[in-house]
Amino acid sequence: MNIQENLNHIKSTLPEHVTLVAVTKTKSVDEIMEAYNAGHRIFGENKIQEMVEKEVQMPKDIEWHMIGNVQRNKVKHMAHFVSLIHGVDSLRLLREIDKQAKINERTINCLLQIKIAEEDSKFGMSSKEAQEILQSSEISELKNVCIVGVMGMATFTDDQKQIEQEFKKLKSTFDELKALNIENCKLQTISMGMSGDYEMAIDCGSTMIRVGSRIFGERNY
Ligand SMILES: *Cc1c(COP(=O)(O)O)cnc(C)c1O
C-alpha cells in the first residue's frame, strides 16, 4: 500500500470544486505523516480522543475535521483546534459547540448531518429538522458557530441506484436549505462520498469527500 501514490491518484481525478478529507481513524501518526509529506493537509477522524492525541503529535498547519458522531461532553477537548465538525445532529450540540468556541475565542464551522440512509444505525436529522434549526430565532444568537453545509452517509449496500437516490436527496436538501437564505449562514459544502462511493457522490453534487481505506488501506480494528 503506497499511501502517497493512492493519494496523488485520487487527487488527480477530482474536479477542482471537490475537497478531499483523508480519513485517518485507526492509522498511526507515521502513516498519516506519509500523506502529510505528500502535501496533504486535511484529515478526518471519527473519535474526538483519537483526533486530540494525533493533533498534539503532528504539525500545526493541519486542518482537522471531526467526521464522527459527537458527544456533547467531549466538544471541549477539540474546540481549540477543530476546523470543521461534520456530524452536527441537534441544536443542543450546536449550543455546546458555540459555548466552547466562545471560550476559545474562535468560530467553529459545522455541517448539519442529514439522515439519508435507511439504516437505523446512521445518525442525522431530517431535512425538516434542519430547516427548523436554521430558521430558529436562537441560531442567530450562536455567534461562535457557523453552519456551512450538510453531511450525509449513504446506506451500506451494493445497490447503486439506492446510493444514488440517497445522495440526490442530500443534494436537494442542501438546495432547499440554501434557498432559505439565512443570514450569517454561508451554505457551500455538501460532505458526501467515501472510498466505495465517492465517484457517484461527486456526480450527485458532492463538494467534499471523506476517503480512508482507498488511501491508507483497510483498517484493522
Ligand atoms: C470511516 C469513515 C469514512 C471513510 O471510510 P472509507 O470507506 O475508509 O473511505 C468516511 N466518513 C465517515 C463518517 C467515516 O466514519
Side-chain angles (χ1 to χ4, degrees):
M1 187 53 60
N2 186 320
I3 292 170
Q4 300 203 346
E5 269 175 32
N6 295 342
L7 186 63
N8 290 334
H9 171 72
I10 293 173
K11 280 184 162 176
S12 72
T13 65
L14 296 183
E16 221 167 290
H17 67 277
V18 176
T19 300
L20 171 65
V21 179
V23 176
T24 50
K25 61 191 186 199
T26 79
K27 298 297 169 182
S28 67
V29 166
D30 284 348
E31 289 167 296
I32 307 171
M33 278 308 292
E34 284 190 46
Y36 180 90
N37 289 330
H40 201 70
R41 293 293 181 271
I42 307 175
F43 297 108
E45 288 281 338
N46 73 334
K47 294 206 170 71
I48 294 174
Q49 198 52 46
E50 190 175 337
M51 182 170 77
V52 168
E53 282 164 20
K54 288 169 178 173
E55 192 271 341
V56 293
Q57 298 176 63
M58 296 194 60
K60 296 303 163 225
D61 60 345
I62 290 172
E63 249 187 53
W64 289 100
H65 289 206
M66 175 40 57
I67 63 171
N69 190 48
V70 176
Q71 285 172 271
R72 261 178 299 129
N73 61 353
K74 290 187 180 160
V75 171
K76 56 179 176 286
H77 302 301
M78 64 174 171
H80 59 291
F81 70 89
V82 69
S83 79
L84 181 62
I85 300 177
H86 290 231
V88 175
D89 61 357
S90 71
L91 190 53
R92 273 181 97 191
L93 177 58
L94 266 180
R95 276 186 210 124
E96 176 64 14
I97 297 169
D98 181 70
K99 179 178 156 198
Q100 298 300 333
K102 189 174 275 166
I103 291 171
N104 288 280
E105 298 179 343
R106 59 189 297 257
T107 299
I108 297 179
N109 288 337
C110 296
L111 303 178
L112 297 180
Q113 181 165 0
I114 310 294
K115 188 177 186 308
I116 52 173
E118 280 174 1
E119 296 149 76
D120 286 336
S121 60
K122 299 270 158 71
F123 292 92
M125 56 180 94
S126 66
S127 64
K128 185 160 170 286
E129 287 171 290
Q131 290 198 16
E132 283 167 5
I133 286 184
L134 286 182
Q135 292 178 310
S136 68
S137 54
E138 196 185 337
I139 199 76
S140 54
E141 286 155 30
L142 303 181
K143 304 282 185 217
N144 294 75
V145 290
C146 187
I147 296 170
V148 297
V150 296
M151 179 269 208
M153 288 173 89
T155 302
F156 188 70
T157 172
D158 288 331
D159 183 346
Q160 297 300 307
K161 263 263 145 306
Q162 181 175 356
I163 295 171
E164 183 178 10
Q165 273 170 12
E166 292 175 356
F167 285 153
K168 284 185 169 161
K169 188 168 146 199
L170 187 60
K171 168 72 164 101
S172 63
T173 296
F174 173 84
D175 291 340
E176 283 164 27
L177 297 176
K178 202 173 164 70
L180 296 175
N181 259 320
I182 306 293
E183 234 183 303
N184 308 330
C185 272
K186 292 179 221 69
L187 294 185
Q188 55 200 22
T189 301
I190 305 177
S191 168
M192 62 181 183
M194 318 186 354
S195 289
D197 55 23
Y198 74 81
E199 289 98 341
M200 167 89 82
I202 291 169
D203 288 343
C204 295
S206 173
T207 69
M208 185 173 277
I209 59 173
R210 311 175 308 268
V211 179
S213 45
R214 289 256 296 253
I215 299 171
F216 296 101
E218 294 301 321
R219 287 176 292 273
N220 305 309
Y221 286 100

